[in-house]
Amino acid sequence: MRENWAAHHSTTPILHYPITPFLSLDDPLPRGQTRPMKRRHFLKSIAFTGAAGLILPRTRLFGANAPSNKLNVALIGTWGRGEAHFAGLAQENVVALCDVNEKHLAFAAQKFPGAKQYVDWRKCLDQKDVEAVVCCSADHTHAFVANWTMNRGKHIYCEKPLANCVQEARVVRATYLKNKTKLATQVGTQRHEYENFNRVREMIRDGAIGELQEVSAWGDRQLRKPGYLPAAGDPPKDFHWDLWLGPSPAHPWNAEYFSGASGMNCLQWNMYWDFGSGQVGDMGSHTMDIAWNAIDADLPTSAEGKGDPFNPEVTPVKLETHFEVPANDWRQAIRVSWYQGGAMPESPVRYLDLKKIDHGALFEGSKGCLAADFETRAVFPHGNQADLTYYKPRSKSALLPPLGNFQRQWINACKGDLKTSCDFDYAGKMIEMMLLGLVAYRVGKKIKYDGGAGQVTDNPEANELLARTYRSGWTLNG
């Protein structure tokens, strides 16, 4: 159960709850502007009360910015998502920078001139004074950086997706579980800090839609590519293409893989099987988090999927996957679904147009449904008995407290009680389920899954797709 990070509604049931929006770390910047620090004035009450579940570290002597209390951090991937971390990390000691593009290294060095510089993250992790790592590398290397970092006893914040196949998710989660009494981890689904996540969970747990029966999440981003880009000359001398490829199979250089804007360039390559998992790992990580936060789910017992015809080079744009998730101590077994690229769940209410929500979640229960995006939610009772007398909203004092700044939560956890809202157990299970859906899509059949063993029990072909094959010289458990 996750009552620490979400669980109750205020006073009277209302159909729509807007949350004041602010700039997402994923949002592109207008031309000529620099990215502001999010929530610059971090709530003082979080540092000095127990409201956010944070414990002051024993080393704290003269306040949060005392030299003795600063964390020694390595930033791996210094442009795009890495740039979004600059403001928060500037409050700590950034002692190492790593990027395969030396221009991006130089860009970050302007902000952190005292940091040592690397082009190979494996060498960066061996720097002795590094205590914590922020990983903003390409998707297909996330699990590698995460696992290697934890094996060296260092805390890690890893951008989503945590893994690129089921086996990677399982290996990283297992390493975390062995070290969770020593290490703080966080997966970069930073929208989780929106208070709407708490309110959605509270309403589901407090019975706003009756007994939970089914949950769906979806995203409507559609980026179609025919296949890997053709060879187009040689990489620049200051771009280490072989290191960018890392554990993935060799591919020829093409500058179009890196033609996107800062913070959005992943959309130039994450749809290719060797480099990512498409929208399953991209916005799927963010949007399924709305549902995952509310349902206290374990790994599914089955998966099925259908979508665009299989392309061996490119992940599907249109896709729907469905999972059977076991019961827990407060709800029955439920069906959980993911839709993308134009595939959508059927609306349970004729006047609720789910297509108006480009990324959202739908919770269906015995008394009604709840539809949500990242920052708002609405309840739709249904049936003659749906009079809301069964809904017992919790008092304001019992509401889940604001999480505060998502990155800061991890930094404080590194210095204190190690607890975060999206650690590698919580997020690891979620991405394992999502990636299992891609396996089911590829074999074209419903598959049964043993989450304890990490095995498909009724389809040998599907079992072979749980893992990736890596280039010689690269190991996940280094």
Side-chain angles (χ1 to χ4, degrees), residues 87-241:
L89 294 183
Q91 301 175 51
E92 308 302 318
N93 292 326
V94 176
V95 297
L97 299 168
C98 181
D99 201 295
V100 298
N101 187 332
E102 294 180 31
K103 287 187 174 68
H104 294 167
L105 264 181
F107 170 73
Q110 294 176 7
K111 180 72 173 179
F112 306 109
K116 295 181 180 179
Q117 298 179 31
Y118 301 87
V119 295
D120 189 333
W121 58 262
R122 295 168 296 184
K123 295 180 180 179
C124 178
L125 292 181
D126 286 334
Q127 185 172 318
K128 300 301 183 185
D129 62 342
V130 171
E131 299 172 306
V133 172
V134 174
C135 174
C136 305
S137 60
D139 293 8
H140 59 282
T141 60
H142 283 180
F144 283 75
V145 176
N147 214 50
W148 282 52
T149 297
M150 291 186 291
N151 283 344
R152 284 153 179 76
K154 304 176 192 294
H155 310 288
I156 179 164
Y157 180 115
C158 184
E159 286 295 340
K160 54 79 187 163
L162 182 60
N164 207 30
C165 67
V166 168
Q167 184 191 56
E168 289 179 358
R170 294 184 64 83
V171 168
V172 171
R173 184 165 67 91
T175 301
Y176 166 65
L177 291 175
K178 288 189 297 185
N179 292 279
K180 68 177 184 177
T181 60
K182 298 179 289 184
L183 299 178
T185 63
Q186 185 92 298
V187 172
T189 49
Q190 70 280 352
R191 288 173 173 83
H192 198 96
E193 72 179 45
Y194 294 172
E195 293 184 31
N196 189 52
F197 279 69
N198 284 356
R199 303 293 86 82
V200 168
R201 176 181 170 87
E202 291 161 355
M203 296 186 79
I204 298 303
R205 290 301 310 273
D206 296 348
I209 62 171
E211 186 176 7
L212 184 64
Q213 297 173 333
E214 185 170 350
V215 182
S216 302
W218 65 89
D220 195 33
R221 181 178 278 167
Q222 300 183 34
L223 300 170
R224 298 186 182 277
K225 302 282 186 178
Y228 293 109
L229 297 177
D234 295 321
K237 292 182 179 179
D238 55 6
F239 194 113
H240 300 263
W241 172 240

Side-chain angles (χ1 to χ4, degrees), residues 395-471:
S395 66
K396 189 169 184 177
S397 63
L399 292 176
L400 289 171
L403 187 151
N405 180 274
F406 190 74
Q407 181 201 55
R408 197 74 215 169
Q409 185 195 43
W410 171 72
I411 291 173
N412 288 342
C414 294
K415 301 174 183 180
D417 66 0
L418 307 178
K419 294 180 180 179
T420 60
S421 53
C422 297
D423 63 34
F424 287 2
D425 185 28
Y426 167 86
K429 287 179 179 177
M430 184 180 76
I431 194 61
E432 181 175 345
M433 179 189 76
M434 295 288 279
L435 294 168
L436 183 68
L438 278 176
V439 172
Y441 153 77
R442 291 183 67 172
V443 298
K445 299 177 181 178
K446 183 176 182 178
I447 55 178
K448 295 180 179 179
Y449 190 60
D450 179 347
Q455 293 289 310
V456 176
T457 59
D458 62 346
N459 191 309
E461 179 188 1
N463 257 331
E464 293 298 315
L465 297 174
L466 298 179
R468 299 167 60 206
T469 300
Y470 304 125
R471 282 201 299 161

Side-chain angles (χ1 to χ4, degrees), residues 43-82:
L43 296 177
K44 293 181 180 179
S45 61
I46 290 177
F48 296 102
T49 74
L54 299 176
I55 296 176
L56 298 181
R58 286 173 291 185
T59 56
R60 183 176 299 239
L61 297 175
F62 304 103
N65 292 322
S68 62
N69 193 44
K70 290 189 176 183
L71 197 65
N72 288 346
V73 181
L75 176 60
I76 298 176
T78 61
W79 190 68
R81 293 299 307 144

